Amino acid sequence: MLTLDQARTIIATARATGREKGMKPLSVVVLDAGGHVLAFEREDGAPVGRFGIAQGKAYGAVMIGVPSRKLGEMYAERPHFIGALGGVYDGKVVPVAGGVLLRDKATGAIVGAVGITGDTSDNDALAGVAGAEAAGLVGEG
Amino acid sequence: MLTLDQARTIIATARATGREKGMKPLSVVVLDAGGHVLAFEREDGAPVGRFGIAQGKAYGAVMIGVPSRKLGEMYAERPHFIGALGGVYDGKVVPVAGGVLLRDKATGAIVGAVGITGDTSDNDALAGVAGAEAAGLVGEG
Amino acid sequence: MLTLDQARTIIATARATGREKGMKPLSVVVLDAGGHVLAFEREDGAPVGRFGIAQGKAYGAVMIGVPSRKLGEMYAERPHFIGALGGVYDGKVVPVAGGVLLRDKATGAIVGAVGITGDTSDNDALAGVAGAEAAGLVGEG
Amino acid sequence: MLTLDQARTIIATARATGREKGMKPLSVVVLDAGGHVLAFEREDGAPVGRFGIAQGKAYGAVMIGVPSRKLGEMYAERPHFIGALGGVYDGKVVPVAGGVLLRDKATGAIVGAVGITGDTSDNDALAGVAGAEAAGLVGEG
């Protein structure tokens, strides 16, 4: 089980990583293993609609069991499949890097996902992986 | 009319086929002729969101009267049409192989569909057809 | 973590309880701790739309953390609150007995819920609790 | 404009108030003046679906310009009106105390809302008002 303290550590570290590397304002959500929101922060200066994008990256990852970067690669090969997932999961799938699976270090089990949006999607994912590691988890981004 | 015993046979055989051929954990739904859920099982280790994908493969098949594999082929020719069906049917269309029509052996009438997800979509469909045959039906996948 | 074997035991026992006590055809869903469908069966003779009712009983229970019977009692006192939950959870809340929380025997943690519909809601709940016990869990109905 | 630092202060103070007064685990969301999510935290032990309820309390308050407690009172007089708002605002209205308007101290302008759920709705609102004050705002709950 992911705790709120872990979620807060993930968000704090992702944000610190963004500041350190000069990224644009980040929005960071942490979802639990069932895809339910545990914590979220949107940095000042980010567009107002960022919650949905961050959630969509992380939610798709949890539902389908792969990082959102992989969903983007799958979209290139099979747009009809990945496109349809938006309907299946009520619009909450954003198949772009930045949705990082959170795995337990010992068992490898998925315990949730962090979704980040604000900078390039590669940088978003990088910040998410840093957050995962700070919380003692493996981040698969 | 499809019975629950037939649905259970379809699911048991599809799952046994998956285990025998070394497929990844399968999720299997059986819908009746009206597209309503009759039975479902999600094997341990499958991602949490599999019900929706299995349902989407089978639901599209029943609603449009062709296997979901055919919906994928139609998508390649007319993406605007098949893409729009996601809206028409409230997101419950996944145009990818694995949604197998169930037909009565004597009359050819559609009595439902089985939707499978977990392995390659060809393997998903193969497991569904095996299930259909075990239940005394024709599986059109 | 709830396993598929446990879910199948819950469904089989709930159905056997229904047959033994002369209940009408039952529909039984098992959801995991995140509210995602793990297994479902609809007995022959049940109306076609039963999946949604079974799911709504169990989903509301998992999301709000109380049995659906309790949601019905809360509705009598505060209809504006419980009524609004249908909107919050996208229509998937049926505040009527028959949505039974599944709790781990040792820790008391919610590991999922079983939702049953078909007979009186008291009988539905009774069948769900029997199922939970057969699977080595505590059923709070 | 509400800042993320203010939102974090609101959440931290609401949570501290809850701990101090022995409330059950709280979930706290802060929305901006447009009703968009700025920050959220769900304490360990809260049911998984709490984000939606917290959001619904705060969203209704911002959209209609009154605290969610007032929406509950309006519901008693005009259920057809307040009930219809769930449809208008896509299910995101929970007309129960705990959605506290955040107002600028100098101008009185609405700058957002905090939505809290977990304990009695009176206590939820009390924690939200404490959070507003700690952030230098007026909390109208």
Side-chain angles (χ1 to χ4, degrees), chain A residues 63-64 80-81 84-85 87-89, chain B residues 47-49 53 75 91 93-96:
Chain A
M63 284 301 109
I64 301 143
H80 54 294
F81 177 41
L85 295 180
V88 169
Y89 298 118
Chain B
V48 293
I53 297 179
Y75 187 95
V93 177
V94 177
V96 169

Side-chain angles (χ1 to χ4, degrees), chain A residues 98-114:
Chain A
V100 175
L101 283 177
L102 301 170
R103 290 184 183 276
D104 184 270
K105 218 167 223 166
T107 65
I110 295 172
V111 297
V114 50

Side-chain angles (χ1 to χ4, degrees), chain C residues 63-64 80-81 84-85 87-89, chain D residues 47-49 53 75 91 93-96:
Chain C
M63 285 301 110
I64 301 143
H80 54 293
F81 177 42
L85 296 180
V88 168
Y89 298 118
Chain D
V48 294
I53 297 180
Y75 186 95
V93 176
V94 178
V96 169

Side-chain angles (χ1 to χ4, degrees), chain A residues 53-64:
Chain A
I53 298 180
Q55 183 186 35
K57 289 183 177 186
Y59 193 79
V62 167
M63 284 301 109
I64 301 143

Side-chain angles (χ1 to χ4, degrees), chain A residues 37 40 42 48 51-52 55 92, chain C residues 81 84-85 87-90, chain D residues 27-32 34-41 49-63 68 71 89-96 98-100 112-117:
Chain A
V37 188
F40 174 74
R42 183 181 95 212
V48 294
F51 174 77
Q55 183 186 35
K92 291 190 292 184
Chain C
F81 177 42
L85 296 180
V88 168
Y89 298 118
D90 204 18
Chain D
S27 301
V28 189
V29 74
V30 177
L31 307 184
D32 66 20
H36 301 289
V37 189
L38 196 47
F40 174 74
E41 293 187 8
R50 289 290 165 174
F51 174 77
I53 297 180
Q55 183 186 36
K57 289 183 177 185
Y59 193 80
V62 167
M63 285 300 111
S68 63
L71 291 175
Y89 299 116
D90 204 18
K92 292 189 291 184
V93 176
V94 178
V96 169
V100 174
V114 50
I116 301 190
T117 180

Side-chain angles (χ1 to χ4, degrees), chain D residues 14 17-18 21-24 26 69 97-98 116 118-129:
Chain D
T17 303
K21 295 195 184 296
M23 298 184 196
K24 287 193 277 186
L26 298 180
R69 179 196 305 278
I116 301 190
D119 207 82
T120 66
S121 46
D122 279 346
N123 277 344
D124 293 342
L126 183 153
V129 171

